[in-house]
Amino acid sequence: MAADPYTTLGVKEDASQEDIQKAYRKLAKKLHPDLNPGNKKAEEQFKDVAAAYDLLGDADKRARFDRGEIDASGQERPRQRYYRDFADDASQYSSDAGFADFGDADDILSDIFGRQGRRGNFRMRGPDVHYQLELDFLDAINGGKKQITLPDGSMLDVTIPPGTREGTVLRLRGKGRPGAGGGPPGDALVEIAVRPHPVFKRKGDDIHVELPLPLRNAVLGGKVTVPTPSGPVTMTVPKWSTSGTVLRLKGRGVPRRDGKRGDEYVTLKVMLPEKPDPELEKFMAHWGSATPTANGGQRQAMGA
Amino acid sequence: MEIPEFLLAARIKTEALDAWLEAGWLMPQHNGGRAFSEVDVARAQLIRDLQGMGVNDDAMPIILDLIDQMHGLRRTVRVLLSEVRAPTG
């Protein structure tokens, strides 16, 4: 520090100790690196201010300086590192209290904290607790909110993301047991089980469904209504659709994380009318004798 | 580091150290015995600077906690920015 300490602090040479202290405090509040972690310029200035105050803040030292016994240089105190220099390392002082309420984003943020390895004997994170939740097939596909009743009678809200799979473990930050010594609470881990559906089968992100198709639609084609997880839709069946034909309904499957959806695959199953139809029987008797070898090739291949 | 070395590095007296430990302002890690690290030194210097600025004992824990929160936020912003800047994932 080459500059005159009085100038650095902005005080007159006959200023009282009290005024010097006041001037220092005013500057220090503005310039201290730990209070201005983003301001690199402040650090240099603070160093000068601190050195000047080291000299003038002490009445004895100030008197010796005024008498010329010591000079302003050589009074710089070697400062190792500021507290902010440790801000990027996880330590026992690390705190996520500034954003612990961010909800979904908290998952990402907590991961960042977790990845950098929070240690600490004084602040102990509380233990996790495990729960199981059985969902209806469609609730798992479409997502929604569920509640778990905890052993102590309180309710825990669980948000089911759309497309949740069997065996998925949902992590609810901070819903576990309380931490020790001001440490954060643990998480609640909810394992999801999904009940089967009478109509829909899930394979990955696709839905498979077997659709009974009236004989008339199978022969002539036409529009039919098909159930999907998000509600019934209309599908066009081409004429001459036989049993086992698979049609794809694009984007009618399971919602994915990227906002897209899997597909629904519809397997047709041709059905005769429920009650015997004399007219149809009569027609068949005539039609069958006219084409006795219908599909003969396929049947032969099976050895029938 | 051991206590004598820490007192020297942080430029504080034993009484101050005892009081700050008591108040929970300093929380050295247990490592077999009580071990002070560089972060404790820096924090002690910060506490000393804050006292020099006129921060009293009641206000100190509030300020320390807010600074720790600010560091947590800064760290998080930094990580998020680096993730955002990364070309893919």
Side-chain angles (χ1 to χ4, degrees):
Chain A
M1 184 193 66
D4 174 54
Y6 288 103
T7 316
T8 305
L9 290 180
V11 292
K12 295 214 175 79
E13 291 197 15
D14 59 355
S16 67
Q17 284 305 119
E18 205 181 310
D19 286 339
I20 288 175
Q21 189 189 47
K22 245 193 241 164
Y24 164 73
R25 286 183 174 180
K26 208 171 148 195
L27 287 166
K29 280 175 202 163
K30 218 168 64 185
L31 298 174
H32 195 288
D34 281 322
L35 304 178
N36 305 276
N39 186 347
K40 284 282 167 199
K41 244 175 31 199
E43 180 173 344
E44 272 311 303
Q45 282 174 282
F46 178 74
K47 226 158 63 178
D48 293 343
V49 168
Y53 185 63
D54 246 13
L55 199 57
L56 303 184
D58 181 321
D60 289 340
K61 268 198 214 167
R62 182 185 174 191
R64 289 173 62 199
F65 172 76
D66 288 344
R67 287 197 299 270
E69 291 173 22
I70 49 176
D71 63 16
S73 66
Q75 288 297 325
E76 256 177 67
R77 47 176 169 175
R79 175 95 189 200
Q80 292 93 330
R81 293 166 74 187
Y82 287 101
Y83 187 55
R84 67 162 183 203
D85 299 331
F86 297 89
D88 281 346
D89 309 317
S91 79
Q92 65 269 38
Y93 303 115
S94 302
S95 170
D96 62 359
F99 53 81
D101 60 337
F102 282 2
D104 284 350
D106 180 38
D107 271 6
I108 306 165
L109 303 183
S110 297
D111 282 349
I112 291 168
F113 260 83
R115 214 189 302 153
Q116 301 191 353
R118 173 180 292 167
R119 309 156 278 156
N121 299 316
F122 285 80
R123 298 186 60 195
M124 264 261 294
R125 189 175 165 277
D128 296 338
V129 280
H130 296 260
Y131 299 105
Q132 289 195 325
L133 179 61
E134 199 178 66
L135 296 177
D136 281 334
F137 187 88
L138 289 180
D139 287 341
I141 301 284
N142 295 322
K145 286 201 191 299
K146 288 278 160 192
Q147 282 195 323
I148 300 177
T149 310
L150 305 187
D152 66 359
S154 63
M155 303 296 268
L156 182 62
D157 287 313
V158 184
T159 302
I160 311 292
T164 297
R165 285 164 203 270
E166 168 90 26
T168 301
V169 177
L170 300 175
R171 181 177 286 269
L172 304 174
R173 295 279 171 200
K175 299 296 185 185
R177 301 214 190 289
D187 302 336
L189 301 174
V190 182
E191 185 174 350
I192 300 294
V194 181
R195 282 190 278 267
H197 192 271
V199 172
F200 300 119
K201 301 264 179 297
R202 177 172 181 173
K203 285 182 188 167
D205 291 330
D206 297 328
I207 292 289
H208 291 252
V209 71
E210 196 172 67
L211 184 73
L213 186 69
L215 182 60
R216 182 186 166 80
N217 288 123
V219 176
L220 301 176
K223 288 189 191 304
V224 293
T225 305
V226 187
T228 78
S230 49
V233 299
T234 305
M235 179 179 75
T236 303
V237 177
K239 69 179 190 176
W240 285 113
S241 291
T242 188
S243 267
T245 301
V246 180
L247 301 173
R248 186 171 72 137
L249 286 170
K250 204 159 181 262
R252 292 293 179 176
V254 181
R256 291 194 202 118
R257 276 204 140 176
D258 60 8
K260 294 179 182 149
R261 276 173 164 262
D263 304 328
E264 176 167 310
Y265 290 90
V266 182
T267 305
L268 300 180
K269 189 176 160 192
V270 178
M271 306 294 280
L272 291 177
E274 274 178 41
K275 286 181 185 161
D277 184 327
E279 211 177 317
L280 184 59
E281 285 175 18
K282 225 166 98 185
F283 168 76
M284 277 295 169
H286 170 70
W287 178 75
S289 64
T291 54
T293 56
N295 296 339
Q298 275 182 36
R299 288 160 51 85
Q300 231 164 29
M302 293 172 72
Chain B
M1 60 186 86
E2 300 289 317
I3 289 180
E5 193 188 342
F6 175 77
L7 292 175
L8 209 63
R11 297 194 209 188
I12 57 171
K13 295 199 162 65
T14 314
E15 298 81 59
L17 175 62
D18 289 344
W20 297 0
L21 288 172
E22 174 81 11
W25 300 348
L26 284 179
M27 301 188 292
Q29 301 269 11
H30 284 297
N31 229 347
R34 182 167 264 168
F36 293 91
S37 61
E38 291 292 314
V39 65
D40 297 311
V41 174
R43 190 174 169 96
Q45 287 181 335
L46 169 62
I47 294 171
R48 217 191 40 199
D49 285 343
L50 288 171
Q51 285 184 335
M53 285 179 223
V55 173
N56 65 24
D57 290 0
D58 288 334
M60 187 65 73
I62 300 172
I63 292 175
L64 291 176
D65 188 46
L66 289 175
I67 288 177
D68 287 335
Q69 288 189 32
M70 176 170 63
H71 285 175
L73 286 166
R74 282 175 57 80
R75 180 142 65 103
T76 304
V77 169
R78 200 188 305 275
V79 173
L80 285 179
L81 282 179
S82 69
E83 297 278 331
V84 168
R85 284 185 188 133
T88 48

